[in-house]
Amino acid sequence: MCFPSHAVMDFSRAGSAHIKEGISGKWCQGWLLLYQRTLFYFASGMSNSKEANLQHARCISLTKEEDGGGSSILVDTQGGCAIYIRPISFESGSFFHSASIKFLGSKNTVSAWKSALKSAAVESGPQIAEQQLTVDNIPVIVDKCINFIYAHGGMSEGIYRRSGSNNAVTRLLTAFKRDAWDVQLIRRDFTEYDVASVLKRFFRDLPEPLLTATLHDEFCEVAAHLSYVHGQRERNLMPVENLAAIWGPTLMHVEGNDTLGWSRRESEVVMDLVSLFSSIFDVSPEEEEREKQMQEVLERYHRAASGSPSTSMPASPNSSVRASPDTTIAFPGGRMPPSGDLKIWVHILPSVPTTDKGNNCIHITLSPQKLAWQVAMELCQKLGLDKKKEWGLEEHVLGGALIRPLHPTERVLDAVLRWGYWDEMDRRDNFIALGPATLYTDVAPLIMSKTPPTVNGKLRFADTRAKSFKTFTFEFSQAKLSYYKDERGSNKIADWKVEDILWYLGHEPKRNPQTRWSITFINRHKKVSRSKEAPFFGNTIAGTSSEEKLRWATALLLGEHPDGLSYYPRTDLMQ
């Protein structure tokens, strides 16, 4: 066992335990040492000790062991493998052998270790480097606020000038201080002005200003965000001069006798950084073009969603909503129409009986409010299809390896825009298609028989890190998908709320579960991004029989859409 000498000299907690790296890892006996906000651990088979920075810990929780004799601790540090810790002896709930008691001088329970780890993770200091961090080393409070304002506030008048509700700002700052990862910024609970005020207050209260050499990455993140807000100045009435007047003192707050003079200089610096952002930070033309396209689509989306009158807006000659130059989703002529509506390609699947077999794509006008059933009905009319039969839209990704039937009440544009935030290889060959609503037809008998949306059983499973599949016990109940180490379901490994996932029929070709069916799911609220540690698209479950597939699909569909799955709305809604 070899821990760093500085940690050994000043640790806050240490002990012996069983340790496992990742879900599929093996339990090994080892040692733990908690030093400030770093957990050092060493297990048999390791040549050196490893460390986990608890500032990156998204989740530290207790999980029940299958023998019912005690609990283990899960430490999820985002970028690397999750770490599982369980006591060696269940009798006292202790992590320690009698020999180790002599070394430590006291016993500590599983729950005490969990509390110590949690406290180390969330007890942030006043400096920006002491905050809870994302995997990219951005403070979680900054990351969450900027993402919220990007989606909801970039086009709002007076953003960063108008103040939010004092009560809401205080509640948010308190919640972020308690546990930043636990804060959920929801539009119905907080306005863009509330969140903007929180972000300003956070930077204003820093003991050291943001513009330091050691905080270059964090500053780049803020500068990019302010450049985006400035780009929407015609809508939000916040040109660079207004932003600089607010953010200059916020980012630098230099103290001195000549306060007015320093404030003016601070504003001038921020003005240059924002207006010259692309040149200073070496933004590539490809990045600028992609950002411009996303902003154009976002503007039309917000305008249509708010019911504002459409106005013409210039578009670049190459402006399009496309995954790549060879994608099948684009605006005709490469230009966005001035009406606020969009034109997209919809593929007609070979199973659709059309008179013109050579025409396998149709352009349709798509407004941000247009629902899947409306698009399907429009295409049925254009193709002369029998409306008594059930036709539906499907989202095809990874070249059709994964297929997701769109619910009739789903906004089609939401699905298309989501691809723009995926990696290049994952958005390259995606498209919307019209075909028979096979899945909805197949699950109809189970729904008619009022089968409750609860199902469980053994399934093959692989997460984003694994190519090979392993068998686990899965359960879908109360709109939540869970899986366990044991058949009795007493040792839960992880769970996902159905409202937080998007699920597709199929799996990516690079991994094969060797089963008759598979379902791949991703987090609908996060960017799909591959890495060396997690090279695969989403998590995949797989089973053996068609009957089994329908039971799981029915449960997922009813959990996601408890109001029903009827593919077409009532006749009176279609008039």
Side-chain angles (χ1 to χ4, degrees):
M1 177 174 58
C2 182
F3 291 132
S5 57
H6 68 277
V8 173
M9 294 296 293
D10 192 26
F11 66 88
S12 59
R13 190 174 292 270
S16 177
H18 282 125
I19 302 169
K20 181 178 74 167
E21 292 183 308
I23 295 173
S24 57
K26 294 182 178 179
W27 288 106
C28 298
Q29 185 172 337
W31 281 84
L32 305 169
L33 187 143
L34 180 58
Y35 168 73
Q36 296 180 359
R37 302 181 76 182
T38 301
L39 175 66
F40 293 94
Y41 61 98
F42 179 88
S44 58
M46 293 183 181
S47 56
N48 294 296
S49 64
K50 296 185 179 181
E51 63 182 80
N53 184 351
L54 298 179
Q55 284 183 263
H56 291 103
R58 179 191 294 272
C59 172
I60 297 176
S61 61
L62 293 177
T63 60
K64 288 289 185 181
E65 292 300 319
E66 60 185 72
D67 53 20
S71 299
S72 62
I73 303 170
L74 164 64
V75 180
D76 180 3
T77 54
Q78 302 179 77
C81 290
I83 304 165
Y84 293 81
I85 305 165
R86 60 180 291 185
I88 291 175
S89 173
F90 286 127
E91 283 81 4
S92 63
S94 172
F95 277 95
F96 314 111
H97 289 309
S98 57
S100 65
I101 296 175
K102 181 178 179 181
F103 170 66
L104 294 169
S106 65
K107 292 186 177 181
N108 300 274
T109 63
V110 176
S111 134
W113 263 94
K114 184 256 184 180
S115 297
L117 294 171
K118 184 72 173 180
S119 296
V122 303
E123 287 181 1
S124 303
Q127 301 288 350
I128 195 168
E130 297 171 338
Q131 307 301 309
Q132 291 174 268
L133 303 174
T134 68
V135 69
D136 298 316
N137 289 318
I138 303 299
V140 177
I141 182 175
V142 175
D143 185 69
K144 288 194 172 189
C145 289
I146 284 179
N147 287 338
F148 184 90
I149 296 167
Y150 185 92
H152 303 292
M155 302 174 193
S156 299
E157 181 177 341
I159 190 67
Y160 289 121
R161 186 183 70 239
R162 287 178 54 181
S163 298
S165 159
N166 285 333
N167 182 47
V169 171
T170 301
R171 282 192 293 119
L172 273 177
L173 285 169
T174 302
F176 273 118
K177 186 174 181 61
R178 185 168 53 245
D179 185 355
W181 280 116
D182 199 41
V183 175
Q184 299 297 322
L185 294 178
I186 303 174
R187 189 70 177 85
R188 66 173 179 267
D189 295 335
F190 304 103
T191 70
E192 59 269 45
Y193 303 108
D194 296 334
V195 178
S197 295
V198 168
L199 188 58
K200 287 191 299 180
R201 181 85 65 82
F202 170 75
F203 284 116
R204 186 178 300 140
D205 292 345
L206 290 175
E208 183 183 17
L210 183 64
L211 297 182
T212 66
T214 57
L215 299 177
H216 177 266
D217 291 343
E218 291 87 346
F219 171 67
C220 290
E221 179 89 2
V222 174
H225 174 62
L226 294 180
S227 177
Y228 159 73
V229 174
H230 168 62
Q232 301 296 325
R233 57 192 175 278
E234 293 184 6
R235 293 289 301 276
N236 58 35
L237 304 183
M238 289 297 290
V240 65
E241 295 81 5
N242 290 2
L243 289 170
I246 294 169
W247 280 92
T250 297
L251 294 177
M252 289 180 272
H253 51 80
V254 177
E255 296 181 0
N257 296 327
D258 186 12
T259 305
L260 183 61
W262 270 113
S263 294
R264 183 170 60 253
R265 295 184 185 96
E266 291 164 355
S267 296
E268 289 172 354
V269 170
V270 173
M271 280 180 61
D272 288 342
L273 289 171
V274 173
S275 58
L276 302 175
F277 175 80
S278 297
S279 301
I280 294 174
F281 295 96
D282 196 24
V283 180
S284 68
E286 292 78 14
E287 289 178 289
E288 286 187 325
E289 181 61 27
R290 181 164 177 253
E291 181 64 25
K292 184 188 299 182
Q293 293 171 11
M294 293 304 301
Q295 289 186 20
E296 289 173 348
V297 174
L298 276 172
E299 178 164 352
R300 280 162 171 76
Y301 183 92
H302 284 292
R303 183 167 57 232
S306 64
S308 303
S310 300
T311 57
S312 179
M313 178 178 178
S316 64
N318 297 320
S319 176
S320 62
V321 172
R322 57 177 69 198
S324 66
D326 61 348
T327 189
T328 55
I329 302 173
F331 297 109
R335 297 183 63 85
M336 296 187 68
S339 64
D341 292 338
L342 312 177
K343 283 273 190 178
I344 71 165
W345 290 104
V346 175
H347 282 229
I348 310 303
L349 296 180
S351 53
V352 177
T354 60
T355 55
D356 184 4
K357 289 295 182 182
N359 183 19
N360 63 348
C361 290
I362 292 182
H363 269 127
I364 62 164
T365 301
L366 188 64
S367 69
Q369 300 286 5
K370 209 164 200 177
L371 306 180
W373 75 265
Q374 295 172 318
V375 174
M377 289 295 292
E378 179 182 332
L379 292 169
C380 287
Q381 187 173 6
K382 286 185 177 183
L383 296 170
L385 298 177
D386 185 357
K387 296 181 183 179
K388 293 182 180 179
K389 293 185 177 180
E390 292 190 342
W391 307 99
L393 294 187
E394 298 175 347
E395 175 189 357
H396 289 236
V397 302
L398 304 189
L402 305 181
I403 299 174
R404 185 174 72 91
L406 270 61
H407 189 269
T409 61
E410 184 173 348
R411 294 180 182 179
V412 181
L413 187 58
D414 287 352
V416 176
L417 290 182
R418 191 179 296 115
W419 303 334
Y421 297 98
W422 294 3
D423 290 342
E424 170 67 24
M425 64 180 295
D426 293 327
R427 65 173 187 266
R428 173 183 303 160
D429 299 314
N430 302 346
F431 56 90
I432 300 295
L434 176 75
T438 306
L439 180 62
Y440 286 85
T441 303
D442 290 344
V443 303
L446 295 178
I447 297 171
M448 294 290 290
S449 63
K450 298 182 179 180
T451 301
T454 298
V455 62
N456 59 72
K458 288 187 176 181
L459 295 176
R460 304 273 287 165
F461 175 71
D463 62 13
T464 56
R465 301 186 295 263
K467 182 176 182 179
S468 59
F469 286 74
K470 294 186 176 181
T471 301
F472 293 95
T473 298
F474 273 79
E475 177 187 41
F476 185 85
S477 178
Q478 298 180 340
K480 184 186 294 184
L481 179 66
S482 309
Y483 80 111
Y484 306 84
K485 284 186 62 176
D486 61 311
E487 294 185 14
R488 294 178 299 171
S490 60
N491 184 15
K492 183 187 293 186
I493 300 174
D495 57 36
W496 302 267
K497 293 180 179 178
V498 72
E499 64 195 49
D500 294 332
I501 65 173
L502 285 172
W503 56 277
Y504 299 81
L505 300 174
H507 58 273
E508 68 173 311
K510 288 196 297 184
R511 54 183 181 184
N512 185 3
Q514 297 181 342
T515 55
R516 296 190 61 179
W517 63 271
S518 57
I519 292 176
T520 298
F521 59 94
I522 61 175
N523 190 315
R524 71 165 66 233
H525 306 302
K526 297 178 184 177
K527 175 185 175 183
V528 176
S529 183
R530 302 180 193 241
S531 65
K532 184 178 179 180
E533 294 76 18
F536 297 99
F537 185 93
N539 303 308
T540 300
I541 58 175
T544 54
S545 70
S546 300
E547 222 175 45
E548 187 182 41
K549 170 188 173 181
L550 292 181
R551 287 200 306 271
W552 284 96
T554 301
L556 288 167
L557 284 169
L558 284 174
E560 188 177 2
H561 305 287
D563 294 334
L565 303 176
S566 176
Y567 205 78
Y568 285 124
R570 300 190 313 271
T571 305
D572 59 320
L573 296 179
M574 297 170 56
Q575 301 302 320

